[in-house]
Every structure is written in structure tokens, then in C-alpha cells.
Amino acid sequence: MSMDSLLKEFSRLHFPRPPATPADVAAFEARVGWKLDADLRAFYLHADGGTLFEEEPDASYRIVSLAEIRRARVAIMGRDTDEYGAPSQYTLVDMQDTNYVILDVAQHAGGSYPLFDAWHETYPVAKRIASSFAEFLERAMRSDGFSYWLGE
């Protein structure tokens, strides 16, 4: 499914936030020191985060806004040193209880960042769950609100 189709479905069936502006994206990229890939750029210019299936605060899938994206080791472990995880991993989806879906900007393959399940009890060990944000979003929207990767 194309990213455009996924974004239309997200807006129709889920709970998008208002879009980020190109200036918001540029400011985010300057702050973190890496560029959004094409899927993420399209998503954030369509919606600066949002939730799947339920509205906040009950949503178990909360795609964070650009302002909320942080190093995973800080969000999960509260520390910004290498023993607590790679500096290239950033939060993307808050799954509640300091569990996140994260991306790793050091693994930019095929034009996309891979996504990982970062369970707070085993982090910095993280399980790869999607090769791109588009793959993740499509599978998540078909999950009926459950963490699709847990059944794999």
C-alpha cells in the first residue's frame, strides 16, 4: 500500500494531530542532527503524531510528535550514555509504560529507517519489527489495537 493511501486511512479511521509545517520539520532535523526519511517526512507533514484505534490518554499506539521524539535510551532508561543503548535510536511510537517502537538512524537501508520494539525490561536489546515506517503503519493499522509483532 502506498504511503498516500496509508495516510488517508490514518486520517479516516484514526486520530491524527494537525500537520507539522516544513519549518517544523527543518527545526526538528537541525535539533536531532539527522533527516526524516521519505515515509516519516510524508507522515509528519500530514500529521504531527496521533493515535491509532483510541484517543489519548488510553491509546496504546501513540505516534509521538516531532517535539516528543527523543533518544530511546533517555526515554526508556533515563540516561544518555552508551551503556543504556545506542545514541542512534530514537522513540517514534509510545506503547505505554515506557515501551516504545523506536527507529535506528544508523541503519538507513533502502531509503528507510528500520523500526524496533523497545520493551523497557529488555532494552537496549530491541526486536526489529518493520523495515520502514510505511510497513509499520500498515501492519499496526491492521492489528486491531494489538502489538502485531508479539504474535510472530
Side-chain angles (χ1 to χ4, degrees):
M1 183 176 268
S2 74
M3 193 63 189
D4 187 53
S5 298
L6 291 169
L7 293 174
K8 288 177 182 169
E9 180 178 333
F10 175 66
S11 288
R12 190 175 68 252
L13 301 175
H14 301 281
F15 304 94
R17 294 185 57 192
T21 66
D24 294 333
V25 170
F28 166 79
E29 291 175 339
R31 175 175 63 88
V32 296
W34 51 271
K35 301 247 183 241
L36 296 174
D37 64 27
D39 291 348
L40 289 167
R41 182 175 303 280
F43 177 82
Y44 282 103
L45 291 173
H46 181 84
D48 189 9
T51 61
L52 301 179
F53 307 105
E54 298 179 84
E55 294 185 80
E56 292 188 70
D58 298 322
S60 58
Y61 275 97
R62 188 176 71 83
I63 303 167
V64 300
S65 68
L66 289 173
E68 296 172 288
I69 293 174
R70 314 184 282 164
R71 275 206 173 109
R73 64 192 188 187
V74 173
I76 298 167
M77 306 301 287
R79 302 277 198 296
D80 197 9
T81 59
D82 289 348
E83 68 189 279
Y84 292 101
S88 58
Q89 295 177 338
Y90 286 82
T91 59
L92 190 61
V93 183
D94 184 342
M95 301 294 291
Q96 297 186 336
D97 301 324
T98 61
N99 297 312
Y100 290 90
V101 172
I102 63 172
L103 59 88
D104 191 333
V105 299
Q107 297 185 40
H108 194 258
S112 298
Y113 299 118
L115 277 66
F116 299 83
D117 175 30
W119 188 44
H120 74 277
E121 292 189 22
T122 58
Y123 189 79
V125 175
K127 175 185 175 184
R128 186 179 177 132
I129 60 171
S131 297
S132 68
F133 180 69
E135 177 191 343
F136 168 81
L137 186 60
E138 182 172 11
R139 294 182 75 188
M141 288 192 299
R142 309 276 177 277
S143 72
D144 201 28
F146 297 99
S147 302
Y148 70 82
W149 54 91
L150 296 181
E152 295 178 344

